[in-house]
Amino acid sequence: MAITLDKQIAIHLETIKTQEGEVERYVIETTGQLVRLGDGMYIRYKEEDKETGKKNPVTFKLQDDGEIQLTRETDDIRTKLIFLAQKKINGVYKTAYGRIPIEIETTHLKSQLNSQPISGLLDIDYRLTTGGELLGDYNIRLQFTA
């Protein structure tokens, strides 16, 4: 598979999580990579685990058909969330204790990529449920520039 783009980027990421009326906001400023492979554009970076200090890989895959995938991995957990505008997608949250089925409902999805200068944004609003129970509402706002 030929690489047609591979750039280092600066990333600003905000995540807002709402669970049972409680709101938590996370902000990350980091560097990563923007890579074009086949039918997808990949945004890759490492997130530091505040408890262990370990850097864990995170990947957003933006497919040409509009689908966005988010993959996060730690030693014990692997999460792959698939976002499609106004769709519900079944997924699995893999933990050290087993697999938990989840449903991802994407309520808002916007991606924008600019070539001059290389920059872009992702806006994703989604809801996670398992067994009919709401786990939380999430908002991701990611901006990047080369």
Side-chain angles (χ1 to χ4, degrees):
M1 194 177 289
I3 296 176
T4 56
L5 175 72
D6 187 352
K7 291 279 187 188
Q8 181 156 339
I9 55 174
I11 296 171
H12 173 83
L13 174 70
E14 287 186 50
T15 303
I16 299 170
K17 174 174 71 172
T18 306
Q19 290 178 308
E20 298 179 354
E22 297 289 319
V23 177
E24 292 182 44
R25 183 173 175 259
Y26 306 93
V27 177
I28 299 171
E29 299 279 347
T30 191
T31 57
Q33 276 186 301
L34 178 68
V35 178
R36 174 82 181 174
L37 288 171
D39 69 344
M41 188 75 76
Y42 295 80
I43 297 170
R44 298 177 177 152
Y45 63 94
K46 298 212 182 252
E47 248 179 18
E48 185 175 339
D49 184 315
K50 292 188 188 325
E51 292 177 17
T52 66
K54 184 175 179 185
K55 300 225 177 218
N56 298 306
V58 177
T59 302
F60 283 91
K61 179 182 181 188
L62 292 71
Q63 294 187 174
D64 291 342
D65 66 2
E67 178 179 299
I68 297 176
Q69 297 177 16
L70 167 60
T71 306
R72 275 194 173 94
E73 294 185 55
T74 66
D75 291 336
D76 299 332
I77 299 171
R78 183 174 192 278
T79 307
K80 182 176 181 179
L81 304 178
I82 299 173
F83 306 108
L84 277 169
Q86 307 303 315
K87 299 278 185 188
K88 290 182 181 179
I89 305 285
N90 292 321
V92 175
Y93 185 68
K94 296 178 185 174
T95 72
Y97 306 105
R99 300 163 54 100
I100 301 169
I102 56 173
E103 185 176 77
I104 305 114
E105 179 182 0
T106 306
T107 56
H108 172 76
L109 184 65
K110 177 182 176 183
S111 63
Q112 178 181 328
L113 299 173
N114 305 308
S115 58
Q116 294 298 327
I118 293 175
S119 61
L121 64 87
L122 299 178
D123 288 351
I124 306 169
D125 297 343
Y126 65 100
R127 171 173 278 194
L128 286 182
T129 57
T130 185
E133 286 191 42
L134 178 64
L135 297 174
D137 291 306
Y138 299 81
N139 311 98
I140 295 174
R141 302 294 181 260
L142 184 145
Q143 298 175 318
F144 68 87
T145 54

